[in-house]
């Protein structure tokens, strides 16, 4: 679909957008992970 093509183009051209989206998803799932005994941490580094 056009929506999927646009998302793919955005993520391909701007990987930081994809990274921020993934981090947002992880933050939303943080409480669920904590309830099941998992902790979540991530670190960023400049490339």
């Amino acid at each position: 679909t056009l929506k999927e093509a646009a998302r793919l183009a955005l993520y391909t051209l701007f990987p930081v957008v994809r990274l921020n989206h993934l981090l947002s998803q992880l933050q939303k799932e943080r409480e669920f992970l904590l309830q099941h005994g998992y902790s979540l941490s991530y670190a960023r580094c400049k490339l």
Side-chain angles (χ1 to χ4, degrees):
T1 66
L2 184 57
K3 183 178 177 181
E4 287 296 319
R7 185 181 353 213
L8 179 61
L10 180 66
Y11 289 166
T12 302
L13 296 174
F14 301 102
V16 71
V17 173
R18 178 66 176 156
L19 177 61
N20 286 336
H21 178 28
L22 288 172
L23 292 175
S24 173
Q25 293 283 66
L26 289 173
Q27 187 64 30
K28 290 177 186 176
E29 299 297 329
R30 184 173 186 266
E31 189 64 35
F32 173 80
L33 293 170
L34 288 174
Q35 289 175 357
H36 290 86
Y38 295 97
S39 64
L40 179 65
S41 64
Y42 60 89
R44 287 186 162 183
C45 62
K46 292 185 178 183
L47 299 176

